[in-house]
Amino acid sequence: METTSNGNETGGRHQRATAHVGDSIDSSRMGCCGCSDEVSSKVEPGTPENEEMAARRSERIFVTDRSCTDLLTLIILIALLGGFAFLITNAVKKGDIYRIIYGYDNCGNVCGRITPSENDPAFSCKGADYRNRTYLKMQIETNGIKTRQCVDNCDDPDYHIFFLNRCIPKKLTDTAISLIKRLGLENFYKEVSTDLRVAWRELMYLCLIALAFSLGILIAFRYMVQWIVYIVLIGVIVACIGGTTYLWMAWYQEKKELDSKDISEKENFEEDSSLQAYFIYAIVMSVVTVITLLIVLVMRKRIALVMQLFREAGKAVYSMPALLLQPIYTYLLIGLSMFAWIYCMLWIESAGTVYRNKMRINFRKDALLITARWYNLFVFFVTCEFFLGCQHMVVALAVARWFFTRDKKRLSLTVTKGFGYLIRYHLGTIAFGALIIGIVRLVRAMISFVQNRLKKFDNDLVRGILWCCQCCLWCFECALKFLTRNAYIETAIYGCNFCTGGKKAFQALSSNILRVAAINSVGDFVLFLGKVLVVVLTVITGIYLIQKKEGLQHPWVPIALAGVLAFLVSHCFISIYEMIIDSIFLCFCEDCAKNDGISRPYFMSRGLMEFVENSKKALRQLDETQ
């Protein structure tokens, strides 16, 4: 009996221990960064089955042994570019870019050039030498027929040179000219050109000043982000409460004034009064204020995580300053892509098969050329998204390597190695994301084209349907860009393909939805304020430098241009900061999911450890190991 009792007791202890281990295993499988958002703002770490094996695995969160991802998509992209090259070659054979630049006459002869002749006798007038006739004179006959003629000058008083060597009839431009004269802009363009020539040095100085301000803002984000966020939150709360109070006071004053009127005067007063409008505005503003206060109250601890992420991003930039150089080559490549798109578009629009329309020779586009129009636009969209995706991937690779390295002093050439990983392994993943977004943008462009074509038809139902489609596609594109960028981060961490990275990103983001909301609201607004501050400081400096400069007739033009350039400069650098914050956040989530801070130490810094569930134990363990 005693043996049996001991056996039962031992078996019971074994069952309880097994159940405890099973619970631990289940919690580790279900544990993720931020699973306890409803109860606490901290993250509960996972507990893997085998601690020794998990310790080894936790050391390899950032995967270095990689293989090529989404290679098939890269091959598809190359094939699409090959098809585009075929279409452009066809357009070049059938076109002449100078038809667009210089124009052509009724016989298809290009002004200012020698036009090749045609073998068909129906086009015998085509093939003239108009090198001495560089201007295209367009005229509308009394019967409404338009005629084109290449001339050597536009001395006819009824004509004048207007655009790209065209001689446009004055009667077609008299309205615009009279409007320009009324506004005093007759010599505006010449004066502006003169002003820009006079102030070009100051514009260069202001661009450098904007760069310095942008770098200063990034430094301030690291050391003063707490005060910036608090100022933003207090400003929003004060604005909401102040606006609500003002509207209710205005409504009360209107109501009080109405009550003091006689019955005969009330009817006339009510017609002119804004009592009802103030009442509606006050109610709406009150609801907005209550919602804002509740959001700030619920997300106050998540906002602390946002501030810490800003600090960590500052550390990353300080450790890897080459990250700030990424926008330079990215936007340079995008600019070259835009130039190539315009150049190819000119060739496509100039191409066509010769045909005679009454007394004129025109060029008709076949199916290949019409396809080339949309293909050119699609390739432009994909190319831009591809270059932006490359920038995102390089930043994510560098930040992930930096985050998951314990001794960060040993890091060297992190950004360069990230670029090498991109070229060697992940171009296919970038191509995958670029193709998806490019397809969505192409569909939106097609819908816009249909909308413009249907403007002359009065069909509200069709316009409403197309507008809804456009709105839905825009929302889908924004969500797709957000998920794609986070999929790149997961790919940078694990070396997985696009679909797996998107799945991991969706799981991590959905498990931390409140933190994501805090980052995308408070964090993005703080970054936007940083851009605005750079623009304001640059414009103020520009006023000081340019306002009193001699020889300027419109000083506000170079000042406004300096503001635009300052915004572009600040956007380039601060957008990198945004990507760094997103990368650190997902690395933080993965670190929480893989490690517990005790048997498997975290990779994150002490500041981020404050936002995990067992932060005290983890910090104590960290102190003991050090």
Side-chain angles (χ1 to χ4, degrees):
M1 294 292 293
E2 184 178 357
T3 304
T4 305
S5 176
N6 291 337
N8 292 335
E9 184 178 355
T10 304
R13 285 197 301 267
H14 177 71
Q15 291 175 356
R16 288 192 297 272
T18 304
H20 177 71
V21 172
D23 292 340
S24 300
I25 294 172
D26 291 339
S27 65
S28 71
R29 289 173 179 170
M30 297 178 63
C32 58
C33 185
C35 289
S36 57
D37 265 336
E38 296 299 327
V39 180
S40 171
S41 68
K42 296 185 177 181
V43 178
E44 184 177 356
T47 308
E49 303 174 12
N50 190 312
E51 293 184 357
E52 184 178 355
M53 184 182 298
R56 291 196 298 268
R57 187 168 64 247
S58 67
E59 295 292 335
R60 296 196 301 268
I61 293 180
F62 179 80
V63 177
T64 55
D65 186 13
R66 301 179 180 230
S67 60
C68 293
T69 56
D70 299 297
L71 186 59
L72 179 61
T73 312
L74 183 61
I75 295 173
I76 292 174
L77 179 60
I78 295 173
L80 289 174
L81 293 177
F84 178 67
F86 167 76
L87 292 175
I88 290 299
T89 303
N90 177 65
V92 171
K93 289 180 179 179
K94 296 181 179 180
D96 184 355
I97 196 172
Y98 293 102
R99 293 176 191 164
I100 302 296
I101 298 175
Y102 295 143
Y104 57 91
D105 65 1
N106 289 341
C107 289
N109 297 305
V110 180
C111 300
R113 295 183 59 83
I114 301 175
T115 305
S117 59
E118 297 287 338
N119 296 326
D120 192 339
F123 311 117
S124 58
C125 63
K126 186 174 182 290
D129 183 359
Y130 281 164
R131 284 178 291 183
N132 295 326
R133 301 181 182 183
T134 56
Y135 301 107
L136 177 64
K137 179 180 178 181
M138 294 183 291
Q139 187 174 356
I140 301 177
E141 303 293 341
T142 55
N143 55 4
I145 298 177
K146 297 180 181 179
T147 60
R148 297 167 173 261
Q149 181 182 1
C150 293
V151 296
D152 55 355
N153 58 63
C154 292
D155 292 338
D156 191 330
D158 293 332
Y159 297 90
H160 68 279
I161 299 174
F162 180 68
F163 180 68
L164 288 179
N165 295 343
R166 266 71 169 176
C167 300
I168 308 296
K170 280 189 175 180
K171 60 182 180 181
L172 297 179
T173 58
D174 281 343
T175 304
I177 292 173
S178 61
L179 179 61
I180 290 174
K181 288 182 178 180
R182 289 176 187 174
L183 296 176
L185 302 177
E186 187 174 3
N187 298 318
F188 176 74
Y189 298 107
K190 293 181 180 179
E191 293 171 356
V192 168
S193 300
T194 304
D195 290 344
L196 294 179
R197 284 197 299 269
V198 172
W200 70 270
R201 287 188 179 86
E202 284 73 12
L203 286 175
M204 296 297 295
Y205 295 154
L206 289 173
C207 287
L208 295 176
I209 291 172
L211 175 61
F213 283 143
S214 300
L215 296 178
I217 289 293
L218 296 183
I219 296 173
F221 281 157
R222 178 180 178 182
Y223 296 103
M224 302 171 58
V225 66
Q226 181 176 357
W227 302 106
I228 296 174
V229 172
Y230 284 151
I231 290 172
V232 170
L233 292 177
I234 292 172
V236 171
I237 293 172
V238 169
C240 290
I241 295 176
T244 303
T245 304
Y246 169 77
L247 290 173
W248 281 115
M249 290 295 295
W251 172 80
Y252 176 75
Q253 291 294 334
E254 289 281 334
K255 188 175 184 303
K256 185 178 179 181
E257 187 175 355
L258 178 62
D259 293 339
S260 64
K261 300 289 183 180
D262 296 334
I263 297 176
S264 59
E265 297 177 350
K266 281 186 177 181
E267 294 182 359
N268 296 329
F269 184 79
E270 286 178 351
E271 293 179 358
D272 300 331
S273 175
S274 302
L275 182 65
Q276 186 176 2
Y278 275 127
F279 184 69
I280 295 173
Y281 296 154
I283 291 177
V284 173
M285 193 65 189
S286 299
V287 173
V288 171
T289 301
V290 171
I291 293 175
T292 302
L293 292 175
L294 289 176
I295 290 174
V296 172
L297 182 64
V298 171
M299 299 179 64
R300 65 189 186 281
K301 294 183 179 179
R302 282 87 184 176
I303 292 172
L305 175 61
V306 174
M307 292 187 287
Q308 185 59 38
L309 288 174
F310 270 83
R311 297 189 189 98
E312 297 297 325
K315 295 177 184 178
V317 171
Y318 179 79
S319 178
M320 300 173 290
L323 287 174
L324 298 178
L325 301 178
Q326 303 309 305
I328 297 176
Y329 74 81
T330 300
Y331 288 100
L332 179 62
L333 291 174
I334 290 176
L336 293 176
S337 300
M338 183 174 294
F339 175 79
W341 169 63
I342 295 173
Y343 183 72
C344 293
M345 181 180 63
L346 291 176
W347 274 108
I348 294 170
E349 295 304 319
S350 69
T353 305
V354 181
Y355 78 100
R356 181 175 289 278
N357 181 15
K358 296 181 180 179
M359 300 299 296
R360 296 176 54 191
I361 291 179
N362 286 324
F363 300 91
R364 181 188 293 113
K365 288 179 171 51
D366 54 18
L368 277 179
L369 292 174
I370 295 174
T371 303
R373 281 178 173 173
W374 293 105
Y375 211 119
N376 184 35
L377 185 63
F378 174 67
V379 169
F380 172 67
F381 289 153
V382 172
T383 305
C384 291
E385 294 299 329
F386 184 83
F387 290 141
L388 285 174
C390 288
Q391 173 183 295
H392 293 158
M393 182 65 78
V394 170
V395 173
L397 283 164
V399 172
R401 181 185 288 273
W402 172 82
F403 187 94
F404 291 112
T405 300
R406 299 194 187 279
D407 188 6
K408 294 178 172 50
K409 295 181 180 179
R410 299 175 57 185
L411 288 173
S412 62
L413 301 176
T414 311
V415 178
T416 304
K417 291 178 181 178
F419 187 77
Y421 272 31
L422 166 68
I423 299 298
R424 186 174 180 182
Y425 300 116
H426 301 309
L427 285 178
T429 301
I430 304 300
F432 198 116
L435 284 172
I436 293 176
I437 298 175
I439 291 172
V440 175
R441 295 186 67 181
L442 179 65
V443 173
R444 287 188 59 203
M446 289 181 173
I447 293 177
S448 298
F449 175 77
V450 174
Q451 284 178 318
N452 291 329
R453 285 299 182 94
L454 293 178
K455 280 184 178 180
K456 56 184 177 181
F457 301 104
D458 189 13
N459 194 327
D460 295 335
L461 177 61
V462 175
R463 284 203 300 267
I465 293 173
L466 291 175
W467 184 86
C468 291
C469 292
Q470 189 74 270
C471 182
C472 293
L473 283 173
W474 178 80
C475 295
F476 178 68
E477 181 185 343
C478 293
L480 188 61
K481 286 182 177 180
F482 177 75
L483 184 61
T484 298
R485 189 169 64 175
N486 287 280
Y488 291 158
I489 298 173
E490 293 288 351
T491 299
I493 297 173
Y494 292 107
C496 55
N497 58 34
F498 182 86
C499 294
T500 304
K503 180 182 177 181
K504 288 179 177 291
F506 181 79
Q507 291 173 346
L509 295 174
S510 59
S511 300
N512 296 270
I513 190 65
L514 291 180
R515 289 187 176 87
V516 174
I519 293 172
N520 289 334
S521 56
V522 178
D524 288 353
F525 187 65
V526 170
L527 293 175
F528 173 75
L529 288 181
K531 298 176 186 178
V532 172
L533 182 60
V534 171
V535 173
V536 171
L537 293 176
T538 304
V539 169
I540 293 174
T541 307
I543 292 173
Y544 176 77
L545 291 177
I546 295 177
Q547 187 68 33
K548 296 183 180 180
K549 187 175 179 63
E550 296 181 358
L552 293 179
Q553 302 181 56
H554 303 285
W556 62 270
V557 173
I559 292 174
L561 181 59
V564 173
L565 295 175
F567 179 80
L568 294 176
V569 171
S570 63
H571 176 74
C572 289
F573 289 97
I574 294 179
S575 62
I576 285 290
Y577 209 82
E578 181 181 2
M579 185 63 189
I580 294 172
I581 291 174
D582 292 341
S583 301
I584 293 176
F585 175 69
L586 277 183
C587 291
F588 167 72
C589 293
E590 297 298 334
D591 196 13
C592 293
K594 298 293 183 182
N595 302 311
D596 61 1
I598 301 173
S599 60
R600 294 169 309 283
Y602 289 126
F603 288 94
M604 67 184 73
S605 65
R606 284 177 171 270
L608 288 175
M609 284 185 192
E610 295 291 339
F611 300 94
V612 296
E613 192 67 32
N614 60 341
S615 57
K616 294 182 179 179
K617 294 181 181 179
L619 289 171
R620 191 184 309 118
Q621 181 70 21
L622 182 63
D623 292 334
E624 291 176 358
T625 56
Q626 291 178 350

